[in-house]
Amino acid sequence: MQTAEDKLIGPLLLARGTTDRSSVLRADDGWLERAWSDPATRVLVIDNGHTLVRRTGDEVHAVLFTPAEAPPGPRYLLGVDDGAAYFAVAAPLPGLPAGDVNGRLTTPMGLRDTPEGRPVAAGLRQAGGLLGDRDAGLLVHAVALEAWHSTHEFCPRCGTRTTMQAGGHIRVCPSDGSQHFPRVDPAVIMLIRDPDDRCLLARGPQWPEGRLSILAGFVEPGESLEAAVIREVAEEVGITVANPRYLGSQPWPFPRSLMLGFFAEATTTTLTPDADEIAEAHWYSRTELLRALDSGELRLPPPVSIARRLIETWYGGELIGDW
């Protein structure tokens, strides 16, 4: 049974959006063409997970174009909001050479420091938590579709190049007629608490020292979410857990995950990390965590991640010390 303290603190920043995805309109080719010809339609340009954003005072907005202004490229219908259609176009960002990383931001703080009104390129990690609900939802949707199309151009049955249909939400094989839909990989991410209400944090071998998070792993075929929580914790750090409790989910399109957040209770506490997956793992009380953050010896996942929300929910308030 979920307790009051297990209510997520703060929004899941990549699980927002105001746009009606309008799935019924995706198969209406006539409507799609009329919407693309409408000057009220707005277009988000997406290039390798990045789009153009600009700062106006304390607010950050996605740079949207009319269809006439948008560069040529594959078009994805993102939905309709307040009577206007929204599309994404996969193409080089206007004003930024294709593949140029020099004009792309690497941190949210960098975005806040940009000159007001000047468009800059940013991805979800940099801008996802700063955009408003509509723009955040548009960008998450566009990033996920672009990633899927870039890696699923060919039919898995016969190898024929597929064609895009339904406003970018289906690929169809012209040879065997099979339809293929955007892939989403479910992954559980879990905050584990021991009987003393300490939180378990760990680091993967690919991460630098001091960068810790909670445990996570992909759901296997034929497996329930709760079983995945129990299995992943046992595999990664060698402890048993009970009572997995679901708290919330958010998309994590890097490239196609859906993160499903849980709390679970440790029934054993001796950690034996799997060296292939975990470089170190430690239990932290709230006092120990705050001391480590204040000293700089530990950094937490950024606020845009569900991991940060789960940690702050356990802690009982906002924390400092981003990656």
Side-chain angles (χ1 to χ4, degrees), residues 13-14 48-50 105-109 111 122-131 139-140 143 207 211 252-255 302-305 322-323:
L13 295 176
L14 298 188
N48 194 28
H50 287 70
L105 296 171
T106 57
T107 67
M109 291 305 297
L111 182 53
L124 278 172
R125 286 186 173 92
Q126 297 78 44
L130 303 176
L131 294 169
L139 183 54
V140 171
V143 168
W207 297 350
R211 179 181 293 182
W252 192 249
F254 303 110
V304 76
S305 68
D322 300 352
W323 290 354

Side-chain angles (χ1 to χ4, degrees), residues 212-236:
L212 301 183
S213 185
I214 55 179
L215 302 180
F218 287 105
V219 181
E220 294 188 345
E223 185 176 44
S224 71
L225 300 178
E226 293 80 4
V229 169
I230 294 168
R231 174 186 54 78
E232 282 287 344
V233 174
E235 289 178 355
E236 293 189 349

Side-chain angles (χ1 to χ4, degrees), residues 1-312:
M1 180 175 178
Q2 193 177 51
T3 64
E5 69 173 358
D6 291 349
K7 202 171 193 181
L8 279 171
I9 292 178
L12 294 170
L13 295 176
L14 298 188
R16 299 174 292 146
T18 61
T19 304
D20 181 348
R21 293 195 171 210
S22 307
S23 58
V24 69
L25 296 173
R26 297 170 187 168
D28 189 337
D29 291 337
W31 183 89
L32 290 171
E33 288 305 315
R34 290 193 300 275
W36 187 255
S37 300
D38 189 341
T41 291
R42 291 295 177 264
V43 182
L44 182 147
V45 181
I46 189 77
D47 179 19
N48 194 28
H50 287 70
T51 194
L52 292 176
V53 299
R54 64 162 57 97
R55 181 179 66 84
T56 304
D58 293 332
E59 297 182 347
V60 176
H61 304 276
V63 177
L64 301 175
F65 300 86
T66 67
E69 296 169 333
R75 302 199 301 251
Y76 318 138
L77 174 65
L78 302 180
V80 176
D81 184 48
D82 198 22
Y86 289 83
F87 287 82
V89 167
L93 300 179
L96 189 67
D100 178 15
V101 297
N102 294 321
R104 299 174 191 242
L105 296 171
T106 57
T107 67
M109 291 305 297
L111 182 53
R112 291 195 183 279
D113 292 337
T114 58
E116 186 169 355
R118 190 188 79 184
V120 293
L124 278 172
R125 286 186 173 92
Q126 297 78 44
L130 303 176
L131 294 169
D133 289 354
R134 185 202 65 182
D135 289 358
L138 292 174
L139 183 54
V140 171
H141 195 173
V143 168
L145 286 176
E146 183 201 29
W148 176 63
H149 283 291
S150 69
T151 56
H152 289 75
E153 296 182 78
F154 299 92
C155 176
R157 293 183 177 182
C158 66
T160 301
R161 184 181 291 276
T162 55
T163 60
M164 190 175 70
Q165 294 186 14
H169 291 76
I170 299 177
R171 296 192 73 94
V172 177
C173 177
S175 178
D176 62 25
S178 59
Q179 295 183 335
H180 308 280
F181 298 85
R183 176 177 166 180
V184 177
D185 297 335
V188 290
I189 181 164
M190 42 276 179
L191 186 139
I192 309 302
R193 299 186 289 192
D194 74 357
D196 295 324
D197 201 21
R198 295 181 300 173
C199 168
L200 176 61
L201 298 179
R203 175 175 68 88
Q206 72 277 19
W207 297 350
E209 290 187 13
R211 179 181 293 182
L212 301 183
S213 185
I214 55 179
L215 302 180
F218 287 105
V219 181
E220 294 188 345
E223 185 176 44
S224 71
L225 300 178
E226 293 80 4
V229 169
I230 294 168
R231 174 186 54 78
E232 282 287 344
V233 174
E235 289 178 355
E236 293 189 349
V237 294
I239 63 172
T240 59
V241 299
N243 302 323
R245 298 187 304 286
Y246 172 76
L247 271 78
S249 67
Q250 79 166 3
W252 192 249
F254 303 110
R256 53 182 168 263
S257 297
L258 175 65
M259 307 301 295
L260 301 128
F262 286 82
F263 274 12
E265 301 167 6
T267 57
T268 62
T269 57
T270 301
L271 303 173
T272 54
D274 178 347
D276 291 333
E277 296 194 48
I278 303 296
E280 59 176 314
H282 308 284
W283 294 105
Y284 287 89
S285 68
R286 290 171 178 80
T287 300
E288 290 168 339
L289 177 63
L290 194 59
R291 185 183 303 122
L293 291 172
D294 287 341
S295 70
E297 68 183 75
L298 188 154
R299 287 167 290 161
L300 294 177
V304 76
S305 68
I306 190 172
R308 178 63 164 267
R309 286 289 174 257
L310 291 170
I311 294 169
E312 290 182 336

